[in-house]
Amino acid sequence: MKLKSAMLAVCAIVSLVTMLPARSAAAPPADDRVVLPDAVVPRHYDIEITPDFEHLRFRGHVRIDVEVARAANSIVLNAADLSFDRISLAGQKDAPKVTIDVRQQTAAFAFSAPIAPGRYVLSIDYQGKIYQQASGFFALDSVAGGNASKRSLFTQFENSDARRFLPCWDEPARKATFSLTATVRAGDTAVSNMPVETTEKLDARLKRVHFAQTPKMSSYLLFFAAGDFERLHRMVGGVDVGVIVKRGDAERGRFALDTAAQLLPYYNDYFGTPYPLPKLDLIAAPGSSQFFAAMENWGAILFFERALLIDARLSTEQDRQDVAVVIAHEMAHQWFGDLVTMAWWDDLWLNEGFASWMENKAIDRFHPQWKLWLQSQSAVQQAMRIDAAEGTHPIITPIRDVLQASDAFDSITYVKGGAVIRMLEAYVGENAFRAGVRRYMKEHAYGNTVTDDLWSEIDAVSTTKIKEIAHDFTLHAGVPLISAHVARCDSGPRTLALAQTRFGIDDSANIGSQTWRVPVAIKALGGADATHVIVSGAAATRATLAKCGAVLLNVGQSAYFRSHYESDAFAALANRYGRLAPEDQLGLLSDTEALASVGEAPVAQFLALTEKLPPDAEALIWSALTESLLGLDKLYAGRPGRAAFRSYARALLERPLTRVGWDARAGEADNVAIQRAALLGAMGRFGDAVVVAESRLRFARFLSAPSRVSAAQRKSVLGVVAENADGATWDKIHALARAAPTELEKQDYYMFLGDAEEAQLAQRALDLSLTDEVPITLRPLVISAVSGSHPDLAANFAITHWDAIKPLLESDSRSQFVPHLASGSSDLHMAVRLNEFAAAHISASARRSLEMAVASIRYNVRIGTHLPDIDRWIASASQRSGAS
Ligand SMILES: [Zn+2]
């Protein structure tokens, strides 16, 4: 699954829970893990479903081939929100007694006579619900010309919602084959993991579609959709690759089809095992989820339209790159996750860390100019911030039950997981790493694994062994901080001592005495290539560089740690800042900011670097810097220094903005468009009079004729205007939202309504989010948008109206929604309110998001104490420039 990046941004931060104990590398299943008994296991499911599109329910019939391994009196499987009409087991006279456990989402069928070991067919007639949020079996309505809406059906089962579609063994290790038959409307296209085998016309209105049998796979990967779709497709190396969109959207799917067709041969080669299904569909669903952007169902990947479709009138360069990256992520899962699956949710990172790494690696192969590794550093910074606070957790972390499993989908699993894989690949070398992955695929195809299975295959082919370093970074939480003590020299070799501690933004750094084996690349500027050392243990590690230049740590920034320099060494690097490679410029900037945020470095060091960044520096570094400035600006909300801070930020950003201008120039690099959007967005937020005035001018042009504003400009212009909106402007955007002809546009406009800085308008957006005017799946997004500038307002609103909001949320995100809204708050009262809310509404086993949000609020309060240092620096800087 690909998390929504917006969600990652919101959930960037920490927790109060005591550290989760790291389990040993080959730990047996946790004793308290809540799993199904294993006396009876499924081999094959034959499913027939008949959805009632109008009344949002369905009838189902399933025949399950089961193997009884040990004599048993009952069969226990998963079921949620299903009702049973008839249950029979071949060979058993009487129908079983059924016991439903609502909390554990199980059904137990007790038979009057014991079932002897052997193969049986369990046959069940049942009924279930079709939901209107994206989990389980659900319906999405799309606007279709005028106000009529068209309904289509989809499924989303990760992590544990297949049990809402059929009674089944809904755990990743209970792999089986599936045959699906569905009765749908005669005009519909039906889609599942495998191609349609037969279609039978029932009457003028209905047809029955039978899909080919799947390979052996986990239940969470099963997929079904039906609606008025069209499919564009192409044969790629014997595989029928398709993009499925609602009728009329074919043109918007071309970019996705080209991208998938380009990636498939690359993955076939990389994994050494060809894609094993006859077809691969990428399916676009209207609307949105609070939880995810796309899902890797085997052979039938589900995307929300925003993550798959490119519209020439609407989409920006960032949209194009995001679509390519999400496709690469989900296609990587067709191997890592689908062909080979983690045995239990503890090892979810095997799926998600790997796919998060591979999305960059694969797209970088085809679009090196997008500089995805550099782009990915922003997400790594956010993950490091979570990992540097109380309540972080090891990448591999015990998951007791499926409620906790939803909590595992976080930036530690995805982003730190991906960053650690990148570090390990760099350490053993690209070829050895790939050879290990190929062996792992061959050895475990159609099976389940634990993380050590991967390290074993890599160590089997590599002379450099990976397992110990891998254990340090996956079984223990936290961010290593490598401090360099650099000996003085005038010429000749330079010696240095590297020591490690744990970097923490709160007391988490003092927990235990964790050390890591950290691969550190060091270099003297002006000298030869990087030297590699392993820093381990509590004692300092010594190293010698041939030249006496300024010393740089983590050259290329491929390793997961923070670097700390003493003041002379820092000054030497800062003096050459403009000449560092872009990734090292960004790395130094990020590390300095992080150290300043906890008082380990003067904030002046960070601010001085921002001034040394050349206007023509790599586009993405300016984009990243705008994120830092916007983050600081939020902390200034309601404080007296905000006006001076905004003035400083505007002066800083004006230089690169003047350079790139408002409109794209022929031949400019792709990423300049991303930089321009970031600069304009930040200048709008900081209230730059020129940018706001120009945006309003262009907005007026847009209202007179939308085609007068290019797709590249549209979001920037609307974003600036929305942030700085007065009531009349807000009403104009509201009118655009109501009239928008597609889901993509509706989503944009409704979210812009939530962006207003004016609190009264933000409140209007919140009120609007509970009305029927806003499509159901977009309503929570409007509240999330408000939380960007008004976290307390949004969180209080959600708490007050929880009864109305809860039904709008997917089951997976209910425990996370309010904590995410509040995590930007700088008010300790909000932490108290959150805890009270959780006591009433969040299950005790699913409180990681809550704890992270509370720690985030504490962090925001603490970092607020550094703002006076920034005020002083800005005051003295303006005196300096006034004097010069
Ligand atoms: Zn994923």
Side-chain angles (χ1 to χ4, degrees):
M1 180 150 39
K2 175 79 179 175
L3 286 191
K4 288 166 62 84
S5 52
M7 180 96 150
L8 281 175
V10 174
C11 77
I13 322 297
V14 207
S15 126
L16 288 176
V17 252
T18 46
M19 300 296 298
L20 293 163
R23 64 170 211 192
S24 68
D31 288 341
D32 65 346
R33 200 180 273 174
V34 181
V35 293
L36 294 169
D38 59 0
V40 183
V41 290
R43 296 294 176 213
H44 176 73
Y45 297 89
D46 221 321
I47 313 157
E48 273 187 69
I49 56 148
T50 308
D52 179 341
F53 280 68
E54 199 183 336
H55 300 101
L56 296 178
R57 57 190 185 221
F58 68 99
R59 278 186 293 111
H61 172 70
V62 63
R63 286 164 48 88
I64 313 175
D65 295 344
V66 296
E67 188 165 326
V68 176
R70 296 189 304 279
N73 276 84
S74 67
I75 294 178
V76 185
L77 39 58
N78 292 115
D81 249 359
L82 300 180
S83 62
F84 300 109
D85 296 329
R86 199 184 59 82
I87 303 161
S88 66
L89 183 73
Q92 290 275 341
K93 256 194 350 278
D94 302 326
K97 181 170 173 292
V98 182
T99 308
I100 305 285
D101 183 332
V102 173
R103 208 189 116 63
Q104 294 303 334
Q105 303 179 344
T106 57
F109 304 146
F111 293 91
S112 51
I115 316 161
R119 298 286 287 255
Y120 296 85
V121 175
L122 175 65
S123 185
I124 307 170
D125 289 327
Y126 62 98
Q127 297 182 47
K129 288 183 192 156
I130 297 175
Y131 303 92
Q132 288 183 283
Q133 301 78 36
S135 60
F137 191 14
F138 61 98
L140 292 173
D141 295 339
S142 57
V143 283
N147 278 333
S149 76
K150 274 190 184 176
R151 176 159 290 174
S152 31
L153 303 179
F154 304 89
T155 62
Q156 163 62 24
F157 295 156
E158 193 179 23
N159 48 60
S160 308
D161 287 320
R163 60 191 64 177
R164 296 175 189 277
F165 187 68
L166 76 158
C168 62
W169 279 257
D170 197 12
E171 293 172 0
R174 310 299 178 98
K175 289 193 173 185
T177 52
F178 296 81
S179 298
L180 179 64
T181 302
T183 299
V184 297
R185 299 173 301 199
D188 280 343
T189 299
V191 191
S192 185
N193 307 79
M194 296 293 283
V196 172
E197 216 165 50
T198 57
T199 301
E200 186 187 343
K201 188 174 174 193
L202 298 181
D203 57 32
R205 292 182 314 110
L206 296 173
K207 65 182 178 185
R208 184 180 294 139
V209 181
H210 176 69
F211 297 96
Q213 179 177 319
T214 71
K216 204 175 148 197
M217 66 180 199
S218 304
S219 54
Y220 78 90
L221 296 170
L222 184 65
F223 179 77
F224 171 70
D228 186 16
F229 301 143
E230 50 183 312
R231 179 173 192 262
L232 49 161
H233 67 121
R234 190 181 304 165
M235 291 305 290
V236 181
V239 176
D240 184 6
V241 177
V243 172
I244 294 179
V245 296
K246 66 174 181 281
R247 190 166 300 287
D249 265 353
E251 215 34 60
R252 298 186 175 102
R254 295 252 165 245
F255 177 74
L257 183 60
D258 291 343
T259 302
Q262 194 171 46
L263 285 167
L264 189 62
Y266 172 81
Y267 282 148
N268 280 337
D269 174 61
Y270 188 88
F271 291 112
T273 301
Y275 176 77
L277 276 59
K279 65 99 178 170
L280 172 62
D281 282 322
L282 283 57
I283 300 131
S288 183
S289 151
Q290 306 99 49
F291 196 56
F292 70 104
M295 173 64 206
E296 67 266 23
N297 314 296
W298 212 0
I301 307 173
L302 177 70
F303 298 75
F304 284 99
E305 286 178 350
R306 174 165 300 275
L308 190 69
L309 303 186
I310 292 298
D311 185 317
R313 291 177 309 116
L314 309 173
S315 303
T316 62
E317 177 62 25
Q318 185 74 64
D319 293 332
R320 235 159 53 93
Q321 295 191 16
D322 287 350
V323 164
V325 165
V326 179
I327 292 172
H329 179 105
E330 302 307 332
M331 285 180 66
H333 276 314
Q334 303 300 300
W335 287 262
F336 248 92
D338 297 1
L339 180 62
V340 180
T341 313
M342 76 266 141
W344 181 246
W345 301 106
D346 298 31
D347 284 309
L348 177 66
W349 93 287
L350 266 182
N351 284 8
E352 299 303 349
F354 195 91
S356 300
W357 166 76
M358 192 45 122
E359 67 190 32
N360 294 321
K361 186 176 178 70
I363 297 297
D364 191 51
R365 159 80 179 69
F366 297 105
H367 301 281
Q369 77 281 16
W370 291 354
K371 299 184 164 47
L372 283 176
W373 292 117
L374 191 58
Q375 287 202 43
S376 70
Q377 279 191 47
S378 289
V380 174
Q381 290 305 318
Q382 290 178 18
M384 279 189 167
R385 196 161 137 199
I386 294 175
D387 202 19
E390 287 176 329
T392 181
H393 58 90
I395 286 177
I396 301 172
T397 192
I399 297 294
R400 183 169 179 269
D401 60 21
V402 296
L403 287 173
Q404 275 192 348
S406 300
D407 266 357
F409 292 80
D410 69 2
S411 12
I412 297 293
T413 302
Y414 280 72
V415 182
K416 181 181 179 183
V420 166
I421 289 181
R422 183 181 181 212
M423 174 173 73
L424 295 171
E425 188 213 23
Y427 180 64
V428 297
E430 195 172 12
N431 291 340
F433 193 86
R434 186 181 55 218
V437 168
R438 286 176 175 171
R439 282 172 58 106
Y440 172 83
M441 285 297 153
K442 283 215 165 48
E443 182 64 28
H444 299 286
Y446 306 99
N448 294 89
T449 56
V450 295
T451 300
D452 267 6
D453 294 326
L454 176 60
W455 307 147
S456 298
E457 298 299 343
I458 293 169
D459 276 354
V461 293
S462 170
T463 47
T464 313
K465 303 303 175 193
I466 209 173
K467 199 174 270 181
E468 290 187 326
I469 295 177
H471 282 176
D472 285 354
F473 280 88
T474 55
L475 298 174
H476 303 286
V479 183
L481 175 66
I482 304 291
S483 300
H485 174 70
V486 180
R488 289 185 170 280
C489 58
D490 297 320
S491 61
R494 163 92 83 180
T495 60
L496 61 158
L498 300 168
Q500 64 168 310
T501 50
R502 178 167 170 172
F503 175 73
I505 60 178
D506 52 28
D507 292 340
S508 64
N510 304 321
I511 297 170
S513 51
Q514 168 65 31
T515 60
W516 294 257
R517 277 154 281 211
V518 189
V520 181
I522 42 177
K523 159 180 181 145
L525 297 189
D529 288 347
T531 299
H532 298 264
V533 295
I534 297 286
V535 176
S536 64
T541 303
R542 308 211 164 267
T544 304
L545 298 171
K547 288 261 297 187
C548 180
V551 172
L552 177 69
L553 305 187
N554 202 4
V555 180
Q557 307 295 311
S558 63
Y560 186 82
F561 65 87
R562 290 209 180 279
S563 307
H564 182 224
Y565 304 90
E566 291 165 330
S567 56
D568 287 357
F570 180 85
L573 273 181
N575 286 337
R576 290 161 186 77
Y577 188 60
R579 279 175 275 159
L580 296 180
E583 51 270 34
D584 295 322
Q585 285 179 338
L586 185 54
L588 186 62
L589 190 70
S590 305
D591 285 339
T592 309
E593 183 186 12
L595 289 163
S597 75
V598 296
E600 297 238 359
V603 74
Q605 280 189 350
F606 167 69
L607 296 166
L609 282 186
T610 65
E611 294 211 315
K612 285 177 190 290
L613 189 62
D616 63 349
E618 165 59 42
L620 293 171
I621 301 179
W622 279 107
S623 312
L625 180 56
T626 62
E627 284 178 35
S628 293
L629 296 173
L630 288 166
L632 286 170
D633 181 65
K634 280 185 193 175
L635 297 174
Y636 266 111
R639 289 170 184 264
R642 192 179 221 183
F645 174 78
R646 287 188 164 184
S647 162
Y648 145 78
R650 290 194 301 265
L652 187 64
L653 300 183
E654 198 177 342
R655 296 179 297 143
L657 182 57
T658 305
R659 194 173 162 272
V660 300
W662 266 83
D663 297 296
R665 295 179 189 145
E668 71 179 19
D670 291 349
N671 285 348
V672 172
I674 293 176
Q675 177 190 16
R676 178 180 295 117
L679 291 170
L680 289 173
M683 287 295 245
R685 180 59 79 184
F686 299 144
D688 183 81
V690 176
V691 168
V692 173
E694 179 67 22
S695 298
R696 286 180 175 147
L697 199 69
R698 290 177 185 233
F699 180 61
R701 251 183 248 157
F702 176 79
L703 289 178
S704 69
S707 61
R708 292 180 67 197
V709 173
S710 68
Q713 290 286 314
R714 184 180 143 276
K715 276 186 195 160
S716 292
V717 166
L718 276 153
V720 173
V721 168
E723 280 165 10
N724 294 279
D726 55 15
T729 308
W730 196 90
D731 288 339
K732 285 177 189 160
I733 300 172
H734 188 191
L736 288 170
R738 272 196 296 237
T742 66
E743 265 67 35
L744 282 174
E745 283 157 279
K746 267 199 188 303
Q747 183 168 341
D748 280 350
Y749 293 128
Y750 278 114
M751 289 186 66
F752 283 133
L753 289 175
D755 281 346
E757 188 156 300
E758 161 91 45
Q760 271 181 331
L761 297 177
Q763 183 63 50
R764 283 178 68 188
L766 291 174
D767 295 339
L768 190 63
S769 75
L770 291 185
T771 66
D772 288 341
E773 177 196 311
V774 186
I776 290 178
T777 64
L778 299 188
R779 292 180 206 169
L781 296 191
V782 176
I783 305 175
S784 294
V786 172
S787 77
S789 285
H790 302 281
D792 298 276
L793 189 68
N796 280 321
F797 178 84
I799 291 171
T800 305
H801 298 281
W802 182 242
D803 288 345
I805 290 168
K806 187 181 169 190
L808 303 174
L809 304 173
E810 295 138 32
S811 52
D812 283 336
S813 56
R814 282 180 186 162
S815 63
Q816 302 171 7
F817 186 69
V818 172
H820 284 154
L821 297 176
S823 62
S825 170
S826 306
D827 181 355
L828 288 174
H829 293 102
M830 178 49 73
V832 175
R833 184 124 207 246
L834 263 187
N835 277 317
E836 288 167 1
F837 170 77
H841 300 293
I842 300 182
S843 150
S845 66
R847 293 202 178 154
R848 184 174 281 159
S849 297
L850 163 89
E851 287 149 356
M852 287 183 172
V854 170
S856 166
I857 294 168
R858 293 183 163 193
Y859 171 74
N860 293 341
V861 171
R862 185 183 305 200
I863 201 171
T865 61
H866 294 297
L867 297 180
D869 295 338
I870 298 179
D871 297 340
R872 278 189 287 278
W873 187 88
I874 289 171
S876 72
S878 61
Q879 272 173 8
R880 283 198 305 276
S881 66
S884 63

